[in-house]
Amino acid sequence: MADVAKIAGVSAQTVSRVANGRANVDRATRDKVLDAMQVVGYQPNGAARALATGRFGAFGVISFSISRIGDARTIEAIANASRTAGYSINLMVVERPTLGGVSAAIANLAGQNVDGVVIIQAEILDVPSLVIGPTLPVVITDTYPSPHPDYPIVDTDQEGGVRRAVEHLLAMGHETVWHVSGPTTSSAAQERTEAWGQVLQRAGAPVPPVHQGDWTAGSGYRIGALLAEVPREELTAVFCANDQMAIGLMRAFHERGVRIPQDVSVVGFDDIDEAEYVWPPLTTVRQRFDEVGELCVQTMLEQIEQQGRGAKTLRLVPVELIVRDSSGPAPRR
């Protein structure tokens, strides 16, 4: 520890705070200490640290999918933020979001001596009989916030992102905006669909039927083949609940001679890496996954410092509309 302190130019007490995952160290100092630990090969004794501090230096993360881009980027963001804070993560993937599956995952993680648990897409928390220890810090993210009991929530500003996307299209003269939604099992999809309808209703615009996808480009392609048959005077703009479905829809339109954006404007949600490189480049809502991860870890550390579970709070991460070439003015009639 003395060697680490000398290399990093800090006190041994600061090294101890970093090694024990304390939150009261600024990022630049923490990074210097972590770099110095790598130089000398310093490895904190986990058992000794747990005895001294009551902490194990690990967070549990429960997810129902790691194949979806949004979930994968959320997990990556939490892992990066945890590492910066001096923690590791134990990932538990639950095949189906059932009461028994989530309860078993929580029990499994508690047995691995984690200091808290982040649950991604936590609709199952609505079930009163879900067993979570009364003092185990819990943070939930990427979920529809309103019905949940007393757990801190970190989420993307879903409603704000949808509002920006739909209002962008209406401002360009489109009489209405059609919608390709995610699956009904996803709270994020439900929230985006609800926000889309509310924006149209407030604007006095017609609300077209929702076409439900499953987050994949294949479902977007299938729906795009159907929407390409809708008369052009009825459909001039589409908002897709994620970028992958938007990309599939754009290919279906292209194969059927529907020009983007001259005939139909398309907007997605997420701003995945490929969105900038499809043709035309996709207008989309950018989610800040790194900030979501940082807020999840910050909220967890606050609960740990308070030695108990925090009260229900809602922290929303702002979004940004990225305007590219897939959206344009409504075609003239």
Side-chain angles (χ1 to χ4, degrees), residues 1-16 32-33 36-37 40 42:
M1 188 175 289
D3 293 338
V4 172
K6 183 177 180 180
I7 294 173
V10 300
S11 68
Q13 186 178 19
T14 299
V15 176
S16 177
K32 286 196 301 183
V33 172
M37 286 179 175
V40 303
Y42 175 82

Side-chain angles (χ1 to χ4, degrees), residues 137-139 152 299-310:
V138 172
V139 177
T299 303
M300 187 73 72
L301 292 173
E302 289 171 357
Q303 294 182 80
I304 293 172
E305 290 292 336
Q306 296 163 7
Q307 297 184 341
R309 181 178 301 156

Side-chain angles (χ1 to χ4, degrees), residues 43-190:
Q43 294 291 333
N45 186 309
R49 178 172 63 182
L51 285 172
T53 66
R55 302 180 187 180
F56 303 101
F59 298 137
V61 178
I62 296 175
S63 177
F64 303 120
S65 171
I66 57 174
S67 60
R68 292 192 295 263
I69 288 180
D71 288 353
R73 290 181 67 178
T74 298
I75 293 167
E76 180 184 28
I78 293 170
N80 289 338
S82 298
R83 183 171 59 250
T84 299
Y87 282 75
S88 62
I89 68 165
N90 295 356
L91 176 62
M92 186 73 61
V93 179
V94 179
E95 185 175 353
R96 290 189 298 274
T98 63
L99 174 61
V102 176
S103 294
I106 292 171
N108 193 317
L109 287 170
Q112 296 177 34
N113 295 327
V114 297
D115 295 304
V117 175
V118 181
I119 306 178
I120 300 172
Q121 290 203 359
E123 293 87 344
I124 193 68
L125 290 180
D126 290 336
V127 180
S129 55
L130 181 65
V131 179
I132 299 179
T135 61
L136 180 67
V138 172
V139 177
I140 64 177
T141 187
D142 195 18
T143 190
Y144 196 65
S146 58
H148 290 291
D150 292 334
Y151 301 99
I153 300 167
V154 175
D155 197 12
T156 294
D157 184 7
Q158 308 281 354
E159 188 275 334
V162 174
R163 186 178 66 252
R164 286 172 175 81
V166 177
E167 288 180 349
H168 163 70
L169 292 167
L170 294 177
M172 300 186 82
H174 298 276
E175 293 183 2
T176 190
V177 179
W178 291 59
H179 181 44
V180 178
S181 77
T184 57
T185 53
S186 166
S187 62
Q190 294 176 36

Side-chain angles (χ1 to χ4, degrees), residues 179-182 188-189 192-193 215 239-243 245-246 267-270:
H179 181 44
V180 178
S181 77
R192 292 173 197 177
T193 297
W215 295 132
F239 165 62
C240 296
N242 78 340
D243 290 346
M245 293 190 298
V267 175
F269 201 106
D270 284 340

Side-chain angles (χ1 to χ4, degrees), residues 249-281:
L249 177 134
M250 290 167 65
R251 175 177 172 177
F253 278 2
H254 172 74
E255 291 178 351
R256 289 156 179 80
V258 179
R259 300 171 301 168
I260 303 172
Q262 295 89 341
D263 299 325
V264 178
S265 290
V266 178
V267 175
F269 201 106
D270 284 340
D271 194 28
I272 63 176
D273 293 340
E274 293 81 3
E276 186 177 1
Y277 298 100
V278 296
W279 187 257

